[in-house]
């Protein structure tokens, strides 16, 4: 007898529908899986056979052929255990159900028959809704994740017998409902706050500008000046995720297996801080079968690279295109995947090998230039703000006065982002000033003659590139938005220029 069960396979961070066809025929007892399965899928026969026996079902006798269609798409992971088991039970006439076409099934089977959580359930639920399915059967630990998809009945399953009884109609299981709006409304308490940072007012101002416009930042200063401490507090002043941003971020974390069990939605902007020993594949994503890397896991959030010159040059250079385009394309023999990577880069580094500023360093000029040369000019051009982080004065450290709290800074950041959204339009592909193209720069960053002359002089004095010119205009536009100013002035442009002054001091 032939049975068909609906499943899905992950392709990058999206899912594609898969039909599990099971045919039980005559002949020697043998089970064959076809349809480009990987090792985990091929091994499912051993798990499924034991799970069937321990769940009081009979393993089909005779030749059993399992086809995963379409046959030209690679099937990976243990998520096909549950649909294969249900298909075998149906094909061997141990169940009768007219619901197999209405539900997508996903889940890994334990040897006891229990259903274990898998990766990528949110993407599979979205695909099930797109295909017009009435519901999806998922492991209980994944139910909250799938339930954020409206218009789909999410049935949490504990074990194989429960799934069979539900499909036969002998057991009723209420669909899980999740109020996504209530998840966003839950108060979030940050473990860090800008109020805890003593001094460094100029650096805080730079990070406020960066948060308001989505700009990349390079913090340069001796060890112990608070570069890492400041970077870790940046997410506390970023605007909250929108519903669409949260769904996209959750899909990425789910596909990478980074979503904690029971969590339905990522509602806080990610903060990723890979070690400087990270490989190209670890940062960009990859391996044999492309999976999201750190820059995709930081999508809609912050990627913090501490000790920037210590990263391998090849790793840093591969980031140039994602920083420009907001996406990364990985080509492997197994296929080509494109992952979103629209993040804020916060990098930190010492100005010299021994950590001192150049005029205080005992390193030779050649050693200093060799150290700074690990960060290429094209990469620096893609970083909007270059900020010096000086040592904190003793009187500031011992002061009882706290700095401005993150909540107060965040209010100004959200207001500046709202002005940008109103300017670009709610449906525009541009989410913030840092994403403006040449057309938007020309339209929204017009300069009067005195301001233009100031910028020309700065370009000549600092020997800046054309890309740096665009970055200055974008930062100036953000500074104006924070000041609720409609037009750019010399004051806005002048403040933006100072964030490129380290180009001349260190790399000039």
């Amino acid at each position: 007898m032939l049975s068909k069960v609906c499943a899905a396979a992950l392709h990058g961070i999206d899912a594609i529908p898969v039909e599990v066809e099971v045919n039980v025929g005559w002949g020697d007892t043998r089970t064959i899986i076809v349809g480009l399965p990987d090792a985990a899928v091929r091994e499912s026969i051993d798990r499924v056979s034991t799970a069937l026996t321990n769940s009081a079902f009979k393993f089909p006798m005779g030749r059993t052929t399992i086809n995963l269609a379409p046959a030209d798409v690679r099937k990976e992971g243990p998520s096909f255990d549950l649909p294969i088991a249900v298909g075998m039970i149906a094909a061997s006439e141990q169940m009768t159900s007219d619901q197999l076409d209405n539900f997508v099934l996903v889940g890994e089977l334990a040897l006891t028959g229990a259903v274990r959580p898998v990766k990528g359930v949110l993407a599979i639920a979205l695909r099930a809704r797109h295909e017009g399915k009435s519901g999806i059967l998922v492991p209980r630990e994944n139910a909250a994740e799938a339930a954020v998809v409206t218009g789909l009945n999410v049935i949490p399953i504990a074990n194989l017998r429960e799934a069979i009884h539900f499909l036969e109609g002998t057991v009723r299981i209420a669909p899980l409902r999740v109020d996504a709006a209530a998840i966003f409304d839950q108060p979030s308490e940050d473990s860090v706050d800008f109020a805890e940072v003593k001094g460094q007012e100029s650096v805080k101002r730079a990070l406020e500008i960066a948060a308001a416009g989505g700009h990349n930042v390079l913090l340069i200063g001796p060890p112990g000046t608070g570069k890492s401490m400041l970077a870790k507090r940046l997410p506390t002043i970023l605007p909250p995720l929108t519903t669409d941003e949260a769904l996209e971020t959750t899909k990425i974390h789910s596909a990478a297996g980074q979503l904690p069990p029971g969590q339905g939605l990522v509602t806080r902007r990610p903060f990723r801080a890979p070690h400087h020993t990270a490989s190209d594949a670890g940062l960009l994503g990859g391996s044999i079968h492309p999976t999201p890397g750190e820059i995709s896991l930081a999508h809609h959030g912050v990627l913090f690279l501490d000790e920037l010159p210590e990263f391998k040059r090849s790793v840093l250079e591969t980031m140039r295109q994602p920083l420009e385009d907001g996406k990364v394309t990985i080509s492997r023999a197994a296929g080509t995947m494109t992952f979103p990577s629209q993040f804020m880069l916060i990098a930190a580094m010492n100005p010299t090998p021994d950590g001192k500023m150049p005029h205080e360093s005992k390193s030779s000029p050649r050693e200093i230039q060799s150290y700074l040369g690990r960060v290429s000019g094209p990469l620096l051009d893609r970083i909007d703000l270059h900020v010096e982080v000086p040592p904190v004065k003793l009187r500031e450290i011992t002061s009882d006065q706290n700095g401005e709290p993150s909540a107060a800074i965040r209010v100004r950041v959200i207001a500046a982002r709202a002005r940008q959204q109103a300017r670009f339009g709610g449906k525009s592909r541009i989410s913030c000033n840092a994403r403006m193209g040449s057309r938007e720069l020309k339209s929204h960053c017009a300069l009067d003659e005195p301001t233009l002359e100031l910028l020309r002089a700065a370009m000549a004095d600092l020997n800046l590139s054309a890309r740096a010119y665009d970055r200055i205009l974008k930062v100036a536009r953000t500074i104006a938005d924070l000041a609720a100013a409609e037009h750019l002035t010399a004051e806005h442009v002048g403040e933006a220029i100072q964030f490129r002054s380290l180009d001349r001091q260190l790399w000039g």
Side-chain angles (χ1 to χ4, degrees):
M1 182 178 174
L2 175 67
S3 68
K4 297 180 181 179
V5 179
C6 300
L10 272 184
H11 187 73
I13 63 170
D14 296 311
I16 56 175
V18 172
E19 191 173 70
V20 179
E21 299 175 317
V22 181
N23 185 78
V24 177
W26 299 102
D28 296 335
T29 301
R30 184 184 178 190
T31 303
I32 301 173
I33 298 182
V34 295
L36 214 59
D38 73 344
V41 179
R42 288 194 298 269
E43 290 173 355
S44 66
I45 292 303
D46 296 323
R47 293 191 298 271
V48 169
S49 61
T50 307
L52 286 173
T53 303
N54 289 333
S55 300
F57 294 104
K58 295 179 181 179
F59 190 79
M61 303 301 292
R63 183 183 177 91
T64 302
T65 303
I66 302 168
N67 180 40
L68 308 178
D72 61 342
V73 175
R74 188 170 184 83
K75 320 303 187 303
E76 302 175 14
S79 62
F80 293 97
D81 287 6
L82 180 61
I84 288 174
V86 171
M88 294 177 75
I89 293 170
S92 57
E93 300 182 342
Q94 298 180 70
M95 68 171 287
T96 302
S97 175
D98 58 358
Q99 295 296 312
L100 291 181
D101 287 338
N102 299 327
F103 287 88
V104 171
L105 278 62
V106 58
E108 176 186 347
L109 287 179
L111 299 184
T112 60
V115 182
R116 289 173 171 164
V118 294
K119 300 188 294 185
V121 168
L122 176 58
I124 295 172
L126 288 168
R127 173 55 62 178
R129 184 180 66 178
H130 179 76
E131 295 294 318
K133 303 298 181 182
S134 62
I136 179 172
L137 271 65
V138 299
R140 284 183 177 176
E141 292 86 344
N142 293 129
E145 176 187 347
V148 300
V149 180
T150 57
L152 190 71
N153 292 320
V154 176
I155 310 300
I157 296 298
N159 54 63
L160 177 59
R161 289 196 63 83
E162 194 174 61
I164 297 299
H165 291 159
F166 172 80
L167 291 169
E168 288 184 318
T170 57
V171 171
R172 292 181 60 85
I173 302 176
L176 180 65
R177 306 293 183 192
V178 170
D179 186 354
I183 297 177
F184 279 100
D185 290 340
Q186 291 177 356
S188 60
E189 295 184 1
D190 294 309
S191 58
V192 294
D193 196 285
F194 269 104
E196 303 157 353
V197 181
K198 303 288 187 179
Q200 304 293 16
E201 298 304 321
S202 61
V203 186
K204 293 178 188 177
R205 168 65 176 172
L207 292 179
E208 179 180 342
I209 294 169
H215 302 288
N216 302 320
V217 183
L218 175 61
L219 302 177
I220 308 172
T225 54
K227 299 187 295 294
S228 299
M229 180 176 66
L230 287 158
K232 290 175 182 177
R233 282 156 176 77
L234 180 63
T236 66
I237 63 173
L238 290 173
L241 286 169
T242 65
T243 302
D244 289 342
E245 288 175 339
L247 282 172
E248 192 171 24
T249 303
T250 305
K251 279 175 61 178
I252 297 170
H253 284 246
S254 175
Q258 298 283 326
L259 198 64
Q263 181 175 346
L265 202 62
V266 174
T267 57
R268 304 183 68 181
R269 295 191 179 271
F271 181 87
R272 306 293 300 186
H275 193 259
H276 60 75
T277 57
S279 65
D280 300 34
L283 203 63
L284 271 74
S287 73
I288 299 176
H289 306 293
T291 54
E294 289 292 340
I295 65 173
S296 294
L297 291 169
H299 185 55
H300 293 312
V302 176
L303 178 70
F304 176 47
L305 302 184
D306 199 7
E307 303 295 345
L308 186 66
E310 301 301 328
F311 283 82
K312 288 188 289 187
R313 179 72 176 259
S314 61
V315 173
L316 296 180
E317 292 306 298
T318 54
M319 289 182 55
R320 285 160 50 180
Q321 199 63 33
L323 281 172
E324 198 76 21
D325 297 339
K327 60 184 179 181
V328 56
T329 301
I330 303 169
S331 297
R332 295 289 186 272
T336 299
M337 300 284 183
T338 298
F339 299 113
S341 58
Q342 192 168 308
F343 59 90
M344 283 181 61
L345 172 64
I346 308 298
M349 62 177 288
N350 298 328
T352 59
D354 60 5
K356 301 181 183 298
M357 293 303 288
H359 61 279
E360 301 173 338
S361 175
K362 295 182 180 179
S363 302
S364 68
R366 185 172 183 176
E367 290 173 331
I368 294 174
Q369 286 305 312
S370 176
Y371 175 76
L372 297 175
R374 299 178 189 175
V375 184
S376 69
L379 179 61
L380 286 172
D381 278 348
R382 287 168 170 82
I383 300 178
D384 304 348
L385 293 88
H386 302 171
V387 185
E388 181 180 352
V389 186
V392 184
K393 296 180 175 61
L394 179 61
R395 58 181 175 80
E396 293 174 329
I397 297 175
T398 57
S399 173
D400 294 332
Q401 186 176 0
N402 289 329
E404 188 177 22
S406 295
I409 304 174
R410 195 184 198 198
V411 170
R412 296 194 295 269
V413 169
I414 292 174
R417 287 282 184 111
R419 294 184 186 97
Q420 294 164 45
Q421 290 298 314
R423 182 185 305 121
F424 302 133
K427 297 183 180 180
S428 172
R429 61 179 176 81
I430 301 172
S431 58
C432 55
N433 287 334
R435 297 291 167 185
M436 284 193 293
S438 56
R439 183 181 304 174
E440 290 77 23
L441 281 173
K442 185 175 181 181
S443 176
H444 304 304
C445 299
L447 303 177
D448 56 27
E449 192 56 38
T451 307
L452 185 58
E453 188 57 39
L454 170 66
L455 187 51
R456 286 197 191 109
M459 292 289 294
D461 291 344
L462 298 176
N463 194 27
L464 300 178
S465 67
R467 185 178 279 114
Y469 173 87
D470 289 347
R471 302 287 175 183
I472 290 173
L473 287 181
K474 292 176 182 179
V475 173
R477 181 65 265 175
T478 300
I479 294 170
D481 288 337
L482 284 169
E486 185 66 26
H487 302 288
L488 297 185
T489 66
E491 181 181 357
H492 304 141
V493 173
E495 185 175 2
I497 290 171
Q498 77 171 2
F499 293 118
R500 311 297 305 197
S501 60
L502 283 175
D503 290 16
R504 181 66 175 270
Q505 294 179 33
L506 296 177
W507 285 274

